[in-house]
Amino acid sequence: MTVEPGQVAAAVSAERLAVADLMAQLSEEELATPSLCAAWSVRDVLAHLTTTTRLRIPMLARAILRARGSFDRMEVDLAADRAARFSTAELIDQLRESAQSSRRFPGSSAMDPLMDLVVHAQDVARPLGRVHETPAPVRAAVLSYLTTNRLMGGRKRIAGLRLESTDSSWAAGTGPLVRGSDAELLLALAGRPAALDRLSGPGVTTLWARLDAR
């Protein structure tokens, strides 16, 4: 099963609602837990996910200027601003409202918000010891997208490696094998070293080196 281009918007909507439901279950202590995304707590991730449909080109231009041209710094600043201005309940409501919107980050593709949601859901769930189940076809679509996405670096990380899912028939690449669940492969492709201890195969050593995790 795959996600067809016309189904991406519906998948984004469903994932926003699912992540909002996950966030609504969390205690203040859990919300303050560091996520797998560097520099962000779980609550910061929630704040970040509310920016996607609310950022306009003039706002983006001002934010990138304040961040001195650094895209990563800009995203950290935008999330921090929203985390400070809104309560957790308000941020969760905003994420739910976003499920009805097709607006996305200026210059991004239709797959980008889906990738962001799926990866960040795992960034939150794993350190909390929780399971967030994204539908298998959506996981496969995001895995495939990450293998070609230059901004996220997945293409470079898996060059010369073979990735195989233990959850499904999804696979990509050629070379030394790396095997693991969809969730762990998603995290590894997105550059999260925390995923590496649950992957197996001769190609894992190469991934360790590329993520500079040792």
Side-chain angles (χ1 to χ4, degrees):
M1 296 179 66
T2 60
V3 176
E4 300 299 330
Q7 299 172 323
V8 172
V12 169
S13 179
E15 196 66 14
R16 281 180 177 145
L17 292 174
V19 173
D21 288 345
L22 169 64
M23 295 293 186
Q25 299 171 23
L26 304 182
S27 66
E28 290 300 319
E29 182 180 2
E30 288 176 308
L31 288 162
T33 300
S35 76
L36 295 186
C37 189
W40 278 349
S41 68
V42 169
R43 190 172 184 276
D44 291 331
V45 171
L46 168 61
H48 163 71
L49 292 175
T50 68
T51 65
T52 307
T53 61
R54 292 172 172 82
L55 194 61
R56 307 294 185 266
I57 291 177
M59 295 167 61
L60 175 62
R62 290 194 296 271
I64 198 70
L65 281 173
R66 286 194 298 269
R68 299 181 181 181
S70 168
F71 184 84
D72 289 342
R73 182 72 253 171
M74 178 196 72
E75 289 206 313
V76 169
D77 290 346
L78 288 171
D81 176 66
R82 295 192 66 80
R85 287 196 293 126
F86 299 103
S87 69
T88 299
E90 287 172 327
L91 291 170
I92 291 170
D93 285 345
Q94 289 170 13
L95 185 56
R96 287 199 173 108
E97 290 167 6
S98 299
Q100 308 305 317
S101 175
S102 60
R103 189 180 292 275
R104 60 180 185 261
F105 199 88
S108 64
S109 75
M111 278 296 296
D112 285 319
L114 187 58
M115 173 190 68
D116 208 34
L117 285 156
V118 171
V119 171
H120 283 316
Q122 297 305 321
D123 282 335
V124 166
R126 177 162 174 177
L128 295 179
R130 290 176 175 263
V131 176
H132 177 78
E133 289 290 352
T134 296
V138 176
R139 296 197 307 264
V142 173
L143 280 165
S144 295
Y145 185 65
L146 279 167
T147 64
T148 62
N149 187 282
R150 293 185 178 182
L151 179 63
M152 292 292 290
R155 181 177 180 178
K156 186 176 181 179
R157 287 185 193 104
I158 68 162
L161 298 175
R162 169 75 174 177
L163 270 61
E164 290 184 1
S165 169
T166 56
D167 295 331
S168 67
S169 60
W170 184 87
T174 57
L177 180 64
V178 176
R179 298 187 79 243
S181 70
D182 288 345
E184 304 305 329
L185 292 175
L186 282 164
L187 289 170
L189 278 164
R192 306 326 192 229
L196 297 176
D197 59 0
R198 299 189 186 182
L199 298 175
S200 63
V204 174
T205 301
T206 300
L207 272 181
W208 273 103
R210 290 176 179 173
L211 290 175
D212 196 25
R214 282 183 171 166

